[in-house]
């Protein structure tokens, strides 16, 4: 959205005085509320509220799949973001579909970086054969700013509480492939979940 000269002048004057448009100081953050393990049927979940304007719910489901040929020793993370039509009139029709796809792709790129290499590797069970795939679904219930940062925070919080069933690798005999036994009675957290990144959004004001 292009700003008028008056709007631009208002923001620039506020920035020079260290005051934001909503009255907060330059370094003041809106209060953040974080809840985890809200969805009983998910492997992990979290809800993040920033102020009274941004509200995001994330649920994670895990399944065993084959890794890709490009990364045979890594697990997979799949992202799907859906912006509720109740959150904003902009989240209706084609505009919502485009935004959902854009946010999903941004999360995918964030977790494809070298910083999350150990996290992805920890999801490997048998190299080139079996790995965990985490289906990460995010629902934007309300949005009033810092949407991508809030999304990344909610995903990180959900990953930190994911519990995966225990897996035992059974060595195959002779030419047989190794197999796995999944123990639904034993659960373990995701190793290196603390490596999950949080995005920070910056805006440049002025020429």
């Amino acid at each position: 959205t292009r700003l008028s000269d008056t709007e631009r002048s208002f923001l620039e004057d506020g920035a020079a005085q260290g005051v934001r448009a909503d009255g907060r100081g330059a370094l003041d953050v809106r209060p953040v509320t974080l809840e985890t393990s809200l969805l009983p049927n998910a492997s992990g979940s979290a809800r993040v509220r920033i102020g009274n304007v941004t509200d995001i719910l994330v649920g994670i489901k895990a399944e065993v799949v084959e890794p890709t040929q490009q990364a045979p020793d890594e697990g997979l993370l799949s992202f799907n973001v859906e912006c509720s039509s109740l959150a904003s009139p902009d989240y209706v029709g084609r505009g919502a579909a485009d935004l959902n796809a854009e946010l999903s792709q941004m999360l995918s790129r964030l977790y494809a970086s070298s910083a999350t290499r150990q996290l992805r590797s920890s999801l490997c069970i048998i190299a080139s054969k079996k790995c965990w795939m985490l289906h990460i679904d995010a629902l934007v219930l309300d949005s009033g700013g810092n949407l991508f940062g809030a999304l990344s925070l909610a995903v990180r919080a959900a990953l930190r509480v994911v519990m995966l069933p225990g897996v035992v690798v059974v060595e195959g005999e002779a030419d047989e492939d190794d197999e796995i036994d999944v123990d639904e009675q034993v659960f373990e957290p995701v190793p290196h979940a603390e490596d999950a990144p949080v995005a920070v959004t910056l805006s440049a004001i002025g020429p």
Side-chain angles (χ1 to χ4, degrees), residues 39-62:
L39 305 177
N41 294 325
S43 301
S45 60
R47 185 173 186 175
V48 168
R49 297 182 181 91
I50 298 182
N52 296 317
V53 292
T54 300
D55 190 355
I56 296 173
L57 178 65
V58 170
I60 301 178
K61 288 286 189 73

Side-chain angles (χ1 to χ4, degrees), residues 49-128:
R49 297 182 181 91
I50 298 182
N52 296 317
V53 292
T54 300
D55 190 355
I56 296 173
L57 178 65
V58 170
I60 301 178
K61 288 286 189 73
E63 69 168 328
V64 177
V65 300
E66 291 185 9
T68 64
Q69 293 182 350
Q70 293 75 18
D73 59 345
E74 296 181 6
L76 303 173
L77 296 96
S78 170
F79 295 93
N80 179 61
V81 178
E82 181 177 346
C83 296
S84 170
S85 59
L86 299 178
S88 169
D90 296 332
Y91 300 161
V92 178
R94 179 60 183 271
D98 291 343
L99 180 59
N100 293 343
E102 180 183 355
L103 292 171
S104 299
Q105 291 170 4
M106 289 173 71
L107 285 171
S108 296
R109 290 196 297 270
L110 189 64
Y111 277 81
S113 71
S114 59
T116 59
R117 175 73 168 82
Q118 285 186 304
L119 170 59
R120 299 193 306 272
S121 296
S122 72
L123 298 174
C124 179
I125 302 173
I126 303 175
S128 302

Side-chain angles (χ1 to χ4, degrees), residues 32-34 46 48 50 58 148-158 197-199:
V32 178
T33 303
L34 174 62
V48 168
I50 298 182
V58 170
F148 187 55
L151 266 173
S152 68
L153 180 59
V155 170
R156 174 185 167 88
V198 174

Side-chain angles (χ1 to χ4, degrees), residues 181-202:
D181 284 338
V182 177
D183 187 349
E184 296 286 352
Q185 302 301 315
V186 177
F187 289 85
E188 302 172 347
V190 176
H192 301 288
E194 67 275 8
D195 293 343
V198 174
V200 177
T201 303
L202 303 176

